[in-house]
Amino acid sequence: MTQPRVLIVEDDPELRRVLQRGLAEEGFAPEAVATGAELLARVDSASPDLLVVDIGLPDADGRDLCQALRARGIQAPVLFLTARDALPDRLSGFDAGGDDYVTKPFAFTEVVARLHALARRAGADGAIDAAGLRLDPIAHAVSSGASSTPLTPTEFRLLARLLARPGETVRRRDLVRAGWPHGAIVHENTLDAYAARLRRKLRALDHAPTITTVHGVGYRLR
Ligand code: CA
């Protein structure tokens, strides 16, 4: 995670600006939205490594949003922003699958420190199990049963994106966004070459699903 992608949802425009600008200066790749609806619309293509979620949003409760994200298979750690006097909120935030919180008003350095800690923790036990495969972010490997094969970081991110929705077609542009840094120029045949390599690696594993090409649309794992 050289430049962790952070998706921020915060309805206060000033606070949103401060977070976005500050996190960019701290080496994160932030994107910010103002409502829960925008977050749900953006989260798949943004494929964030970390989320910053305000609990008090105009159209949703941040904890409900977090539950919705988990139900969609999004496992990125969540840092909740919550009111200082809202201790019950903090606790139910954790129940919703969130990972940490800061209380408003917060020191920006605290947000940065917590995000770094969450990023490290996600790397420590963030293995993904889906479709009979296990993606190990420490070993950067994929395994099926007793067989295992190493992956490059880009292969890892592409496979993680496919594994988030096994059986569903993932669009080419969503795979490019997941696999490469924001703004990178990725040629059509580069994605195809990566998919072909991933397909060969999965074929070498015992009982692994296969990567299917959906022509003109994307790829599917099944
Ligand atoms: Ca708010």
Side-chain angles (χ1 to χ4, degrees):
M1 228 187 272
T2 49
Q3 212 188 14
R5 282 177 282 222
V6 185
L7 184 54
I8 302 156
V9 55
E10 167 59 63
D11 59 307
D12 182 293
E14 183 54 33
L15 194 48
R16 196 165 63 240
R17 262 196 303 277
V18 166
L19 285 167
Q20 191 166 12
R21 192 177 307 155
L23 289 177
E25 285 169 5
E26 290 291 329
F28 293 89
E31 188 180 330
V33 297
T35 65
E38 286 175 85
L39 175 74
L40 292 175
R42 280 296 300 140
V43 70
D44 282 330
S45 44
S47 80
D49 300 305
L50 300 160
L51 290 137
V52 175
V53 176
D54 180 26
I55 285 183
L57 292 167
D59 64 338
D61 183 307
R63 294 161 295 177
D64 295 340
L65 276 180
C66 186
Q67 273 175 327
L69 295 175
R70 299 298 184 226
R72 284 164 69 163
I74 292 156
Q75 296 172 345
V78 172
L79 180 66
F80 283 114
L81 307 178
T82 180
R84 181 178 284 281
D85 57 355
L87 186 61
D89 274 358
R90 297 179 197 172
L91 299 176
S92 53
F94 284 105
D95 288 345
D99 297 279
D100 206 353
Y101 64 90
V102 291
T103 52
K104 295 179 180 180
F106 50 77
F108 179 72
T109 51
E110 192 186 355
V111 171
V112 171
R114 303 242 176 203
L115 285 177
H116 279 307
L118 285 175
R120 278 195 302 273
R121 206 184 303 162
D125 56 8
I128 300 165
D129 290 284
L133 294 176
R134 181 177 179 81
L135 263 184
D136 181 339
I138 299 298
H140 261 265
V142 59
S143 57
S144 172
S147 56
S148 178
T149 187
L151 299 173
T152 67
T154 302
E155 289 170 350
F156 184 92
R157 290 193 293 269
L158 290 174
L159 188 54
R161 186 66 187 78
L162 287 167
L163 273 176
R165 301 285 179 87
E168 286 183 30
T169 302
V170 181
R171 287 174 301 175
R172 298 180 65 92
R173 70 157 188 258
D174 292 339
L175 285 166
V176 167
R177 281 176 180 150
W180 284 271
H182 180 67
I185 310 261
V186 180
H187 296 289
E188 293 282 307
N189 56 7
T190 304
L191 178 60
D192 295 329
Y194 270 92
R197 266 160 48 187
L198 267 178
R199 192 179 281 138
R200 280 197 299 276
K201 288 188 173 186
L202 291 187
R203 209 178 285 149
L205 299 176
D206 303 329
H207 311 295
T210 54
I211 294 172
T212 311
T213 306
V214 183
H215 286 288
V217 182
Y219 289 94
R220 181 169 55 200
L221 190 72
R222 60 181 213 179

